[in-house]
């Protein structure tokens, strides 16, 4: 297993370097590589953690087609994205095929803890994430409908185990209600065509005005294993003191879905390539302070 992992890692890194150097997309903007590391302090003690290395890259094949790929590695894990896309098949739309990120929530959380929608998708559909995003193997179609956008996907769990691969479905409709607010609704299901399917429903809204931003989510999941529905709310807000410094807070009111908790944090962009973030996550009977450094290169 260790040899297989090492070989897979070596091949992926080699492909990453080759694409990064030989990309025919001379006018494309190169995505930033990223390094993350954290220090955690809890009532039980303290520790350092290596949070990951991220190597994204893209290749433009034609003006409307290309490849989006990436590799993310942690201490004992790795995630891969690799998908082909074709833009403007009919109108302002995109068809994606491969190992791709899924569109489920607004995805605008600024916290290290992540929002309720982000956390529960992984818990009830699959346990993988790429840069904190849900992902899957299959098809995704996205189309712009005036001020609205529709995204739908049919995928499998991207785990490497060659066992049963149930089909998962995610569909999201979002609406740009002016320049400052986006509202959306989404549904998702795991193992869709079986009696063991979990079904999720989400409504969210994201507002950004001046230096302030707000995110609200209502999430509900019907869990097939116990045939019960659990729902919860998530609220998050941030304020930018300067272009480099930000404070934020998040509140989970969803004890049936995730432990109720209050999140308080701050972020400082020391240089264009270096950011520091500190976050206190307080649960009912527990708490954790996390200090993270993020470097882009």
């Amino acid at each position: 297993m260790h040899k297989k992992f090492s070989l897979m890692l070596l091949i992926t890194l080699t492909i990453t370097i080759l694409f990064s150097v030989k990309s025919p997309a001379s006018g494309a903007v190169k995505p930033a590589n990223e390094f993350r590391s954290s220090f955690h302090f809890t009532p039980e003690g303290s520790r350092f953690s290596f949070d990951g290395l991220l190597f994204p890259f893209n290749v433009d094949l034609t003006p409307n087609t290309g490849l989006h790929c990436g590799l993310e590695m942690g201490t004992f894990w790795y995630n891969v994205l690799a998908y082909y896309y074709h833009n403007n098949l009919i109108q302002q739309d995109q068809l994606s095929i491969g190992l791709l990120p899924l569109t489920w929530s607004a995805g605008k959380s600024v916290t290290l803890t992540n929002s309720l929608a982000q956390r529960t998708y992984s818990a009830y559909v699959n346990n993988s994430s790429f840069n904190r995003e849900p992902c899957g193997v299959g098809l995704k179609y996205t189309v712009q409908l005036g001020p609205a956008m529709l995204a739908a996907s049919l995928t499998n769990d991207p785990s490497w185990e060659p066992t049963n691969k149930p089909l998962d479905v995610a569909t999201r409709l979002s609406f740009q209600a002016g320049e400052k607010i986006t509202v959306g609704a989404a549904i998702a299901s795991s193992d869709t065509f079986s009696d063991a399917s979990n079904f999720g429903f989400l409504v969210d809204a994201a507002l950004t005005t001046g230096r302030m931003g707000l995110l609200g989510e209502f999430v509900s999941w019907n869990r097939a294993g116990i045939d019960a529905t659990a729902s919860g709310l998530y609220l998050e807000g941030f304020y930018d003191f300067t272009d480099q410094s930000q404070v934020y807070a998040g509140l989970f009111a969803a004890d049936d879905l995730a432990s109720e908790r209050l999140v308080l944090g701050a972020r400082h962009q020391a240089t264009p390539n270096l950011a520091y973030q500190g976050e206190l996550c307080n649960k009912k009977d527990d708490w954790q302070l996390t200090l993270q450094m993020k470097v882009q290169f």
Side-chain angles (χ1 to χ4, degrees), residues 18-146:
L18 288 175
F19 271 124
S20 298
V21 174
K22 300 294 185 180
S23 171
S26 57
V29 177
K30 183 178 182 298
N33 303 320
E34 188 175 279
F35 163 83
R36 303 186 303 275
S37 184
S38 296
F39 174 74
H40 307 275
F41 185 75
T42 68
E44 289 75 32
S46 57
R47 62 182 175 88
F48 286 95
S49 69
F50 168 57
D51 298 335
L53 275 172
L54 175 64
F55 299 104
F57 61 97
N58 56 55
V59 182
D60 291 343
L61 302 176
T62 71
N64 286 327
T65 65
L67 296 173
H68 281 177
C69 307
L71 169 67
E72 186 178 29
M73 298 180 296
T75 307
F76 300 107
W77 56 270
Y78 63 95
N79 289 311
V80 179
L81 281 186
Y83 64 93
Y84 168 84
Y85 68 88
H86 195 302
N87 292 329
N88 303 320
L89 286 169
I90 302 174
Q91 47 177 330
Q92 289 181 297
D93 60 355
Q94 181 183 92
L95 176 66
S96 305
I97 303 172
L99 177 53
L100 42 83
L102 304 180
T103 305
W104 155 251
S105 64
K108 296 182 180 295
S109 176
V110 299
T111 70
L112 299 175
T113 306
N114 297 331
S115 75
L116 183 63
Q118 290 173 296
R119 295 178 68 88
T120 57
Y121 188 93
S122 292
Y124 293 105
V125 180
N126 64 62
N127 294 317
S128 65
S129 65
F130 181 84
N131 197 24
R132 305 190 302 181
E133 288 184 279
C135 62
V137 179
L139 306 174
K140 182 173 77 169
Y141 181 72
T142 306
V143 58
Q144 189 75 43
L145 304 169

Side-chain angles (χ1 to χ4, degrees), residues 216-236:
E217 296 177 342
F218 171 78
V219 185
S220 180
W221 283 94
N222 181 268
R223 296 175 287 187
I226 58 176
D227 193 24
T229 299
S231 304
L233 291 171
Y234 177 74
L235 298 173
E236 181 182 312

Side-chain angles (χ1 to χ4, degrees), residues 156-288:
N156 295 125
D157 188 313
S159 65
W160 298 105
E161 297 297 329
T163 53
N164 183 35
K165 295 283 189 176
L167 288 174
D168 304 325
V169 174
T171 303
R172 175 176 174 82
L173 178 65
S174 59
F175 181 78
Q176 193 73 32
E179 296 181 0
K180 300 178 179 179
I181 185 169
T182 302
V183 296
I187 58 174
S189 65
S190 65
D191 201 356
T192 305
F193 304 104
S194 78
D195 295 334
S197 176
N198 295 318
F199 178 81
F201 174 72
L202 164 70
V203 177
D204 58 26
L207 169 68
T208 303
T209 173
R211 293 187 176 276
M212 184 179 70
L214 297 171
L215 171 66
E217 296 177 342
F218 171 78
V219 185
S220 180
W221 283 94
N222 181 268
R223 296 175 287 187
I226 58 176
D227 193 24
T229 299
S231 304
L233 291 171
Y234 177 74
L235 298 173
E236 181 182 312
F238 70 82
Y239 181 80
D240 295 332
F241 282 106
T242 67
D243 292 338
Q244 293 77 35
S245 300
Q246 179 186 81
V247 294
Y248 60 84
L251 175 65
F252 290 78
D255 203 30
D256 290 336
L257 290 175
S259 299
E260 292 191 351
R261 67 194 76 189
L262 174 66
V263 176
L264 300 172
R267 184 178 183 275
H268 178 65
Q269 191 76 40
T271 71
N273 297 326
L274 175 63
Y276 299 103
Q277 189 165 348
E279 182 172 297
L280 175 65
C281 182
N282 185 38
K283 302 179 185 179
K284 287 182 177 179
D285 303 314
D286 194 11
W287 59 270
Q288 176 173 289

